[in-house]
Amino acid sequence: MALLNFKKRDAAEKAPVNPAVEAFLKGYSIEVMPRTAEKVEDFRDLLPEGTRVYIAHIEGTPIEDMVRTAKRIAAEGYPVMPHFPARIIKDAATLENWIAMYQGEAGVDQALLLAGGVAKPHGEFDSSMQLLETGLFDKAGFKRLHVAGHPEGNKDIDPDGSTKNVDEALRWKQKFSETTDAEMALATQFAFDAKPIIAWADGLKAAGIDLPIHIGIAGPAKLQTLIKFAIACGVGPSLKVLQKRAMDVSKLLLPYEPTDVITALAEHKAANPDFNITNVHFFPLGGIKTNANWAIENGGASAKPANA
């Protein structure tokens, strides 16, 4: 007799789509890199019409590769939001050139601005606030600017484990949002537990920060993969969710899926319509196709691919 029974559910036994989850996933976004995007033959087979596709800019990736990926995805009909990591941008002239390349070749008019996971800046920029202060995105007529949010803090920004500097930066970004013509929002690091996420979002609102929140969610992946990324990215309290799962032998060999955290957030949103988390942003750590297929299975009409 088998010690572990991992019987797959028959398609006929598949549970109906949760309407709260379907509503919560409407307008979700997803993140790719040039090398991961190359593995997708046609994004329209996987993503709904109008899905925002972020393009992560990892240190060492040539800007030409980034722009080529943006152009390809835009040509398939998707709005593209490339990363602009402050610490790998040498100076204002470089930033202006990147903006011009993205606009000229891929029609880009939105961006995610972040410090970037680099210890030593390559030039004069250290934070997303410095990028915003150049005024170059407004000058270029960018319609949407997203900045980073950290539901569980960020030890690169606050080495003492507090949220002092993160909170101060958010107050600055809130004030900036009142002066720019671009729509602004927070795109967050991923987390695995709904309770700390809800408490953080409520705390921002109470502090007068009303930027819409696009909550980062890790897509389906092997447990070992997620734990590795979570530790590398400094995910805090909700890492315990993964550690607890790792101790359950019946779940150890099964891939993690974000069903529990998304269901909890979706049901909270359904019960509290003014909740300031407005969108889901997926980090497809187990692969773009795997993530998109999970959304298709759980998101109903909100996740129906363009080619379906």
Side-chain angles (χ1 to χ4, degrees), residues 144-299:
R144 178 173 284 275
L145 297 172
H146 287 187
V147 289
H150 304 279
E152 299 180 347
N154 184 311
K155 288 195 174 180
D156 286 341
I157 301 172
D158 287 293
D160 61 1
S162 72
T163 61
K164 179 178 179 293
N165 294 328
V166 166
D167 293 343
E168 185 176 323
L170 283 178
R171 286 191 291 270
W172 189 96
K173 292 166 185 175
Q174 171 69 37
K175 189 173 182 180
F176 182 87
S177 75
E178 295 161 8
T179 65
T180 178
D181 290 333
E183 289 186 61
M184 288 187 66
L186 298 178
T188 83
Q189 183 57 274
F190 56 84
F192 302 97
D193 188 355
K195 288 183 179 178
I197 293 171
I198 292 169
W200 173 77
D202 288 346
L204 290 190
K205 193 170 186 178
I209 295 169
D210 61 5
L211 293 171
I213 298 170
H214 294 225
I215 190 67
I217 297 291
K222 292 179 181 178
L223 191 58
Q224 300 94 317
T225 300
L226 285 185
I227 291 174
K228 180 185 75 173
F229 275 106
I231 292 171
C233 295
V235 171
S238 72
L239 179 59
K240 294 177 182 177
V241 172
L242 298 185
Q243 293 169 330
K244 182 178 179 181
R245 183 184 177 93
M247 296 172 67
D248 185 342
V249 70
S250 68
K251 295 180 179 178
L252 183 58
L253 302 181
L254 294 175
Y256 164 88
E257 294 185 344
T259 311
D260 290 346
V261 63
I262 283 186
T263 299
L265 291 171
E267 292 181 348
H268 183 80
K269 177 76 174 180
N272 303 273
D274 61 344
F275 185 46
N276 48 351
I277 291 181
T278 60
N279 298 74
V280 170
H281 174 61
F282 282 117
F283 293 86
L285 303 181
I288 297 167
K289 293 180 182 178
T290 300
N291 199 142
N293 285 330
W294 180 91
I296 291 165
E297 291 171 7
N298 292 271

Side-chain angles (χ1 to χ4, degrees), residues 38 63-73 102 105:
E38 287 175 359
I63 185 61
E64 292 79 10
D65 290 358
M66 293 290 297
V67 173
R68 190 180 305 114
T69 302
K71 183 178 179 179
R72 174 258 167 119
I73 295 172
Y102 276 123
E105 298 184 39

